[in-house]
Structure formats: C-alpha cells, structure tokens
Amino acid sequence: MGRRPCCSKEGLNRGAWTALEDKILTAYIKAHGEGKWRNLPKRAGDFTRPFSLFSSLDSVMLMLICFMLCLGLKRCGKSCRLRWLNYLRPDIKRGNISVDEEELIIRLHKLLGNRWSLIAGRLPGRTDNEIKNYWNTTLVKKANAQSTSPQSKTNPPNRSKQPKNSATVGHHQVIRTKASRCTKVMVSLGSRPQRPQTQPLKLNEVPTPTNLNTTQLQQSDVSLAFRRGNGQELQAFDERDTSQFLNIDSYNFQSRNRPDDLQVDHDEYNKNVDAPVRATNLEEEQMFNDWINAGTSLEDNATLDLEAIASLLEAEDWPY
DNA sequence: AATTGCTACAACCGCAAGTCC
DNA sequence: GGGACTTGCGGTTGTAGCAAT
C-alpha cells in the first residue's frame, strides 16, 4: 500500500478559479480557519448543506445554489491553499509594487537568493508568488540591463545553456535552491533596535532601508543568525554594522553550509523586532461583509445570515 | 481584421521538512 | 523508529490580455 496521492486528479477542476469557487473557499476558511487543506474541498462542499435550513430563501434560488455547490469544491487541497494564500487572503496588498518595495526586493534577493517566502515576509501584504513573478518578469530584466555591456548586448546570454541550478542576475550569480521550508530565524538581541523618535513607524510598516534610522540601528547590538532546524548556527549576521544589512549591495552573503539548509524562525524574529501588524479583525469582518454584499443573485432573494451558517459549521454534527 | 509575439501572473508540479500515529 | 500524511517551498507552465505587424 503506497502513499496516498496528494489528491485524485480525476474529476477535479483545474485552471483559473471562478468567483463562486473563491466565495466557497473564503467562506469555508472564514468558518474553519486555515489548515486541513486536504479535507477542505470535501468539507467545503458540505458547507452548502445547511442552506436547506433557511426557509426564507427563494426555493428556486436555493435549488440553483445547491446544485452549483453541493457537488463540493472540486479542487485539490493544495490548489485551495495556494489560492487562499496568494489571492484570497484578506491581508494581501494588491496593486503595483512601489519603488521602495522594488529596492527592498532587490536587496533582499542579493542577501537571500531565491528565498521568496523570506523576502515576502519582509514585504507585508505581498506573497512569495507575487514577488517571484515580479522578479522573473521585471527585475531580472532591470538587473540585466544595468549590468549588460555593449558587447554583451550584441551577444545576449543564452539562458538555455546556463547550468540548471544557477542563473546570472546582473553581476550576481544566483544559486537556484531546491524547495525547502524555512521556519527559523534565530535573533538574539543585546538591545532592542530603537526606532527613530522623530519619525515613528506607522502601523503595518516594517523596517526598510528608507524608513529605518540606520544610525540608531548601527548603535544597537542586534545579531541575526541563520540556523538549521536543529539549532546549529550557519552564519552569524552581526548587525552592529547594520549598514551591511541595509545596504546589501555591499554585503557578500556567505554561508558555511549549502544555502538550502538555511532556516529562519519568523516567530522568534518577530518577538524581538516589532512585527508588522497582521490583518485586523476589522479587515476580516469587511471581507465577510463583502461576500454578503457581493453581486450574487443570492441577495436578491433573501438575506442569508452567514454568521449563523459559520457557527453552524462549528458543530461537528449537522442536524440533517 | 487577423495573426503573431510578448508580458504578467495565476496556477500547477515535484520535492522535502515537519508532524502524526 | 519508521512510514504515512500534511504543509510549505521554489521552479515551471499555461494563458489572458495587449501591442505590434
């Protein structure tokens, strides 16, 4: 008996998500929270069953909704997770990446390489996928354009001939890493970094080269160490000279081990350095209301108390 | 108007770490 | 301790939309 596949690919929807699927997924996660992705599609289908309890719904509309939804969310759990994390999450920032963000991405990329999740962790509201796409479509070209000499313009590099595990971006050699989870950054603080008195950071703002007082950080005694999961230190990152971190152009990141082994503990990091404020309950509430007020024909026929459905879903056994 | 080429980005895939039993 | 399972990650692919021809 081998390992169960991630999900049966037969009978599953693929490709772009519909607005309806988004709403089912959002409502499910609103009720149950994130996680259990594997079982989500099935239970998201179950989600529709309590609809039958609402006699105030127009019966034809109710039948239509049940017909559309009762078959379940025909998506792989993995696909659900990706859709939620990269698109539906309430704290996602949409819109163009600002110049500041772009500079930060470039610097962090020089420091961390293709560790998109780590880079995304320093850009509130941005997803690793978004940053990865932005890098691959926009920043690679910019970096190449900056470093390409007239001679190399006449002989553009043949990407297909590059080693598969490496790529050249600008004058930097980027080592392509295998996918590995980065869960730990160990941060030891001799003294907490002080924010500038004159320009306190706003909510949702994280230290960046532009909003952080470099001088004050330089005076602090912060050290950032990359460690393996077992705690073995790989590279002490002494921020007594924080300018190295903030001006990563000049920082030559080196690990005594393969970069694949780097792990970063965001929780520990955030304990010591003010974390960006996460999505507020207010935003979640707004998202929930958005769904209720969304342009589905549902609202035309009845007012559906989704809060009641959510609480109903909390019950293990449904009354039918 | 039709075709082609390019770009941006959403979605998929395989792998590996972490967790559970 | 080991196998099954879940989750997270980075690389890659597919495709919608737009511009150029």
Side-chain angles (χ1 to χ4, degrees):
Chain A
M1 189 175 104
R3 174 178 170 167
R4 206 155 46 118
C6 161
C7 51
S8 169
K9 291 184 171 55
E10 291 180 11
L12 290 180
N13 288 345
R14 294 169 60 87
W17 281 63
T18 65
L20 191 56
E21 287 175 316
D22 283 347
K23 285 174 182 175
I24 296 172
L25 178 59
T26 303
Y28 177 88
I29 292 174
K30 174 74 181 177
H32 288 277
E34 297 180 34
K36 310 266 186 189
W37 298 107
R38 190 190 186 88
N39 297 327
L40 188 152
K42 179 178 173 294
R43 297 206 63 188
D46 294 342
F47 175 79
T48 61
R49 292 177 192 166
F51 276 60
S52 61
L53 298 173
F54 292 81
S55 56
S56 60
L57 273 176
D58 176 83
S59 58
V60 175
M61 188 52 60
L62 179 65
M63 286 176 63
L64 180 61
I65 292 168
C66 288
F67 175 76
M68 293 173 73
L69 302 184
C70 283
L71 293 175
L73 190 51
K74 291 187 174 299
R75 291 281 180 172
C76 170
K78 209 170 178 177
S79 179
C80 293
R81 173 185 166 271
L82 210 61
R83 182 65 178 174
W84 172 255
L85 292 178
N86 287 335
Y87 198 83
L88 298 175
R89 241 170 46 195
D91 54 339
I92 284 185
K93 189 196 290 184
R94 317 300 304 179
N96 293 338
I97 290 178
S98 67
V99 175
D100 285 348
E101 285 176 316
E102 186 178 304
E103 288 176 359
L104 189 57
I105 290 170
I106 291 170
R107 291 179 176 187
L108 287 171
H109 187 269
K110 283 174 184 170
L111 174 69
L112 299 168
N114 293 3
R115 285 185 169 68
W116 306 116
S117 63
L118 292 185
I119 295 172
R122 305 309 306 152
L123 289 137
R126 300 295 185 186
T127 69
D128 53 356
N129 207 35
E130 183 180 15
I131 292 171
K132 180 172 61 181
N133 285 331
Y134 188 70
W135 178 268
N136 288 333
T137 58
T138 306
L139 295 183
V140 160
K141 276 176 279 182
K142 283 190 180 179
N144 279 333
Q146 283 174 3
S147 63
T148 303
S149 64
Q151 185 182 11
S152 60
K153 275 181 182 171
T154 58
N155 297 305
N158 186 347
R159 292 177 63 185
S160 64
K161 290 188 176 181
Q162 288 185 342
K164 197 168 184 178
N165 67 340
S166 70
T168 302
V169 177
H171 57 282
H172 298 276
Q173 182 76 7
V174 176
I175 305 300
R176 287 190 184 150
T177 57
K178 288 181 181 176
S180 62
R181 201 177 303 183
C182 296
T183 57
K184 295 193 174 179
V185 157
M186 307 303 290
V187 177
S188 60
L189 295 173
S191 64
R192 186 187 183 87
Q194 299 297 309
R195 284 178 173 168
Q197 297 288 328
T198 52
Q199 291 182 309
L201 293 176
K202 304 176 197 123
L203 288 179
N204 290 321
E205 193 172 11
V206 294
T208 68
T210 53
N211 65 17
L212 198 62
N213 185 318
T214 307
T215 308
Q216 287 187 351
L217 259 183
Q218 282 175 332
Q219 292 167 351
S220 71
D221 185 20
V222 184
S223 67
L224 174 64
F226 292 94
R227 296 174 189 265
R228 291 175 183 278
N230 62 14
Q232 178 190 354
E233 184 173 321
L234 297 173
Q235 169 80 32
F237 187 64
D238 189 349
E239 293 197 16
R240 266 176 284 233
D241 182 8
T242 314
S243 61
Q244 285 186 329
F245 179 68
L246 299 177
N247 299 291
I248 297 167
D249 284 338
S250 62
Y251 187 75
N252 181 23
F253 181 76
Q254 292 178 328
S255 168
R256 290 193 287 272
N257 299 70
R258 294 180 320 134
D260 305 37
D261 296 326
L262 296 181
Q263 299 208 353
V264 176
D265 187 337
H266 292 290
D267 292 340
E268 189 66 23
Y269 182 84
N270 288 337
K271 260 189 248 173
N272 296 294
V273 178
D274 288 359
V277 177
R278 310 243 181 265
T280 63
N281 291 335
L282 208 62
E283 288 170 320
E284 292 176 359
E285 187 65 31
Q286 180 60 47
M287 186 178 175
F288 194 64
N289 290 334
D290 285 348
W291 182 38
I292 295 174
N293 298 325
T296 63
S297 52
L298 189 62
E299 63 185 301
D300 299 330
N301 298 281
T303 300
L304 188 58
D305 186 353
L306 294 174
E307 296 279 8
I309 292 179
S311 61
L312 194 65
L313 288 166
E314 295 300 326
E316 283 299 315
D317 301 317
W318 287 335
Y320 71 96

